[in-house]
Amino acid sequence: MKHLLGTEGLSRDDAVELLDEAARFEQALAGREVRKLPTLRGRTVMTVFYENSTRTRVSFEVAGKWMSADVINVSASSSSVSKGESLRDTAKTLRAAGADALIVRHPASGAAAQIARWTNDGSDLPDLAPGQERPLTTGPSVINAGDGTHEHPTQALLDAYTLRSKFGSLDGRRITLVGDVLHSRVARSNAHLLSTLGAEVTLVAPPTLLPTGVQTWPVRVSTELDAELPGSDAVMMLRVQAERMNGGFFPSSREYSVRYGLNDARRALLPEDALILHPGPMLRGMEIGFDVADAPQSVVLQQVRAGVHVRMAVLFRLLASGGAEAPAHHQSTGAQQ
């Protein structure tokens, strides 16, 4: 695996391997006073965010530093992008500066895949000797940290990890995703990944917030939340992405909350052992009730913790799995680093 650009097309074996790797990292770090492994020492990881982020950016930075990588944050607002530099030139510049991995968030769908092509085409390598073949992949690994309304693969992986930690297996589990599916890269990535892992996924949203072609996704679709909750093993509330809306997708925030918000009354419809998830940031009082967000069934903070271990696993798989030691091998040495 050279890049992680999406969950669509990710095989079950690859997904399970990443989740198992994340579990090994969690176990290797458990109880350590110094959470530091030498796994990526000498590697340079750059986060390139053209949109605001707290959870994703911080967890990638923590993951890289816990693995002893050199982590450099590049913000569009404080970089040459603000002077008009193109995405292509920025990507090429970061590659030339020595990036081993580029973690990219961008408002345009497909941006991460385009960066992977630009930085791995070998066009900026020195001229080759006669008969020498140009390598097909020469540049940094690219990790999609969210591109437009397309995908957010590591969010889906951490969601699957959180669910698997509670359920053991996702085979046959009924997972309901609720809210702004139209603008949600989290919904797309989860729909593909959770289905690949054997879950039965249902999308619940107002008709105006369902994307064209959703019938081709490996999911069920409904517009009635109350009817779906009693049969759900887990429900994930999606963020209403007002910044991507340029029209009236629903009459008002209050009506949205009445029809599609997870309040105390709706929480009572869920099975007792059902889980409540949210990718964050949460709009309390609209998407999810104040008490519901902090209820015993809520695993929102567990999702955040899982994000660090999952992103450690992704970085390990892309940058070190060919020759580095596995996490378990560092249990005696990591605390000394």
Side-chain angles (χ1 to χ4, degrees), residues 44-56:
T44 301
V45 174
M46 298 187 185
T47 65
V48 190
F49 279 55
Y50 286 74
E51 292 182 322
N52 295 331
S53 170
T54 300
R55 292 156 187 79
T56 302

Side-chain angles (χ1 to χ4, degrees), residues 8-310:
E8 186 176 6
L10 189 68
S11 71
R12 181 179 176 120
D13 287 345
D14 282 338
V16 169
E17 185 176 340
L18 285 169
L19 297 178
D20 288 345
E21 196 74 76
R24 287 191 285 270
F25 274 112
E26 181 177 16
Q27 184 178 15
L29 291 167
R32 285 177 178 265
E33 183 177 349
V34 177
R35 287 173 289 190
K36 200 79 166 177
L37 304 173
T39 316
L40 294 183
R41 182 185 293 149
R43 299 285 193 168
T44 301
V45 174
M46 298 187 185
T47 65
V48 190
F49 279 55
Y50 286 74
E51 292 182 322
N52 295 331
S53 170
T54 300
R55 292 156 187 79
T56 302
R57 187 168 198 161
V58 167
S59 62
F60 265 118
E61 183 173 356
V62 171
K65 290 184 175 180
W66 281 4
M67 299 171 78
S68 302
D70 296 314
V71 182
I72 300 170
N73 294 317
V74 181
S75 173
S77 61
S78 58
S79 70
S80 293
V81 172
S82 62
K83 301 177 182 179
E85 183 174 65
S86 70
L87 179 63
R88 182 181 186 276
D89 286 340
T90 297
K92 290 277 192 178
T93 297
L94 297 178
R95 182 210 158 161
D100 293 301
L102 294 175
I103 300 163
V104 180
R105 170 167 289 189
H106 198 278
S109 299
Q114 185 62 65
I115 287 174
R117 287 190 287 270
W118 282 332
T119 58
N120 285 269
D121 62 5
S123 60
D124 55 350
L125 292 178
D127 291 337
L128 301 177
Q132 186 178 1
E133 293 185 2
R134 187 176 297 278
L136 294 178
T137 55
T138 58
S141 294
V142 177
I143 301 170
N144 182 5
D147 61 333
T149 60
H150 177 226
E151 282 226 39
H152 192 352
T154 57
Q155 178 67 47
L157 284 164
L158 73 88
D159 293 337
Y161 184 86
T162 303
L163 292 167
R164 200 178 72 153
S165 296
K166 298 291 183 178
F167 294 140
S169 170
L170 296 186
D171 286 314
R173 292 290 182 174
R174 294 162 295 182
I175 315 298
T176 302
L177 278 62
V178 183
D180 185 4
V181 178
L182 177 63
H183 302 102
S184 178
R185 51 200 175 206
V186 173
R188 285 165 171 78
S189 286
N190 267 295
H192 292 294
L193 180 65
L194 296 179
S195 298
T196 296
L197 293 173
E200 299 174 10
V201 181
T202 299
L203 303 179
V204 179
T208 53
L209 290 177
L210 287 169
T212 301
V214 70
Q215 297 81 6
T216 65
W217 297 12
V219 299
R220 288 181 56 250
V221 178
S222 173
T223 58
E224 299 297 329
L225 178 56
D226 290 354
E228 302 298 334
L229 293 177
S232 299
D233 293 304
V235 56
M236 180 185 299
M237 307 307 295
L238 302 171
R239 185 173 71 86
V240 175
Q241 301 189 36
E243 73 277 9
R244 300 187 191 278
M245 297 181 182
N246 55 8
F249 289 88
F250 47 85
S252 66
S253 297
R254 183 179 181 279
E255 180 163 330
Y256 180 92
S257 179
V258 169
R259 291 286 310 274
Y260 295 99
L262 187 62
N263 52 30
D264 283 321
R266 288 202 169 102
R267 177 164 65 104
L269 297 176
L270 289 166
E272 186 176 348
D273 59 348
L275 301 179
I276 297 169
L277 301 91
H278 196 298
M282 294 183 288
L283 295 181
R284 293 182 183 236
M286 180 181 172
E287 304 159 350
I288 188 168
F290 285 85
D291 293 337
V292 176
D294 300 318
Q297 292 164 289
S298 172
V299 291
V300 172
L301 293 181
Q302 288 92 316
Q303 289 174 268
V304 176
R305 285 192 288 270
V308 176
H309 301 122
V310 162

